[in-house]
Every structure is written in structure tokens, then in C-alpha cells.
């Protein structure tokens, strides 16, 4: 990350997001969330925010919420992500269908 002028340089998004996912797989949830939070800060500075990177990051954060058993937060982010996925991808896209199916499954579990 030091090769760029700023840790918020748009090119750092995938490093932060990927780092967060790797740390999540290693069960280092605190560091994972820190990396995902930095990816969100970088993404929010993008001129076309919210965008497809937002959806990619949201799926990583949803996984983090589920892994840390924060089911209500996961459901809230799923619900918030559906309209963006519909807008960017359409209602029949795999991402949109996954989000809708996750929402429906989580609601039926409660």
C-alpha cells in the first residue's frame, strides 16, 4: 500500500477487501473487519459510488456478520444491497437472486 500516495487511493480497494477476506478465513475477525472498513472508506471515495465494488464488499461484510453470528446486521445489509444489485445487475442476475434467497432464508429462520 505504501507505493501509492494515500491509503485511500482507489487502487487499494481490492487489497483491503482481499486482506479482510483472508483474515476472516484465518478467524482473525477484528483485523478482518478493520480491513473491510478500510475497503469501504476507499470505495466511498469513488466517483461512481455506490458501484459493483460496493456489492462485492457488501457480500464480504455479510459473510463476516454471519461468521461472527451477527445475524440481524447481516440481514439488514442484505436488504440494503438488493436494490443496488437490481439497479446494477437486474432482477434475474445471480447476485440479486443470491441476496433475495439469503433474505428469504434468514427471514424464514426467525
Amino acid at each position: 500500500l505504501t507505493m501509492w500516495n494515500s491509503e485511500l487511493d482507489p487502487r487499494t480497494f481490492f487489497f483491503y477487501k482481499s486482506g479482510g477476506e483472508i483474515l476472516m478465513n484465518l478467524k482473525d475477525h477484528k483485523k478482518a473487519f478493520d480491513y473491510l472498513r478500510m475497503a469501504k472508506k476507499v470505495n466511498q471515495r469513488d466517483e461512481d459510488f455506490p458501484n459493483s465494488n460496493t456489492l462485492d464488499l457488501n457480500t464480504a461484510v455479510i459473510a463476516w456478520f454471519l461468521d461472527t453470528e451477527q445475524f440481524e446486521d447481516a440481514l439488514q445489509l442484505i436488504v440494503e444491497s438488493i436494490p443496488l444489485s437490481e439497479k446494477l445487475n437486474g432482477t434475474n442476475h445471480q447476485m440479486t437472486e443470491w441476496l433475495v434467497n439469503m433474505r428469504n432464508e434468514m427471514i424464514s429462520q426467525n
Side-chain angles (χ1 to χ4, degrees), residues 1 6 9 16-17 26 34 36 42 71 75 79 83 89 93 95-96 104:
L1 297 176
S6 167
D9 185 296
Y16 285 124
K17 181 183 159 291
L26 295 172
D34 290 343
L36 295 173
V42 171
F71 302 116
L75 180 58
V79 169
N89 303 318
H93 189 271
M95 171 66 78
T96 307
N104 294 343

Side-chain angles (χ1 to χ4, degrees), residues 24-37:
M24 191 169 43
N25 287 331
L26 295 172
K27 302 298 181 196
D28 190 340
H29 293 108
K30 181 181 178 342
K31 279 187 185 174
F33 193 72
D34 290 343
Y35 273 70
L36 295 173
R37 185 177 30 234

Side-chain angles (χ1 to χ4, degrees), residues 73-110:
D73 292 327
L75 180 58
Q76 180 180 344
L77 188 53
I78 289 167
V79 169
E80 291 171 9
S81 299
I82 291 171
L84 179 59
S85 185
E86 290 174 337
K87 177 183 174 188
L88 295 175
N89 303 318
T91 56
N92 295 324
H93 189 271
Q94 181 178 356
M95 171 66 78
T96 307
E97 290 177 355
W98 179 81
L99 290 165
V100 169
N101 289 338
M102 284 295 294
R103 179 199 61 198
N104 294 343
E105 184 176 327
M106 290 185 75
I107 289 172
S108 72
Q109 297 284 327
N110 291 335

Side-chain angles (χ1 to χ4, degrees), residues 7-93:
E7 63 183 6
L8 297 177
D9 185 296
R11 296 171 287 186
T12 63
F13 173 81
F14 288 104
F15 292 107
Y16 285 124
K17 181 183 159 291
S18 297
E21 291 172 323
I22 290 167
L23 289 163
M24 191 169 43
N25 287 331
L26 295 172
K27 302 298 181 196
D28 190 340
H29 293 108
K30 181 181 178 342
K31 279 187 185 174
F33 193 72
D34 290 343
Y35 273 70
L36 295 173
R37 185 177 30 234
M38 283 302 297
K40 182 178 180 178
K41 284 183 182 181
V42 171
N43 184 240
Q44 287 175 326
R45 294 171 51 97
D46 198 317
E47 53 189 54
D48 68 338
F49 174 82
N51 52 32
S52 61
N53 287 345
T54 308
L55 282 175
D56 290 342
L57 179 59
N58 285 357
T59 59
V61 174
I62 289 165
W64 186 88
F65 281 141
L66 293 173
D67 203 40
T68 58
E69 299 183 4
Q70 297 180 53
F71 302 116
E72 291 176 17
D73 292 327
L75 180 58
Q76 180 180 344
L77 188 53
I78 289 167
V79 169
E80 291 171 9
S81 299
I82 291 171
L84 179 59
S85 185
E86 290 174 337
K87 177 183 174 188
L88 295 175
N89 303 318
T91 56
N92 295 324
H93 189 271

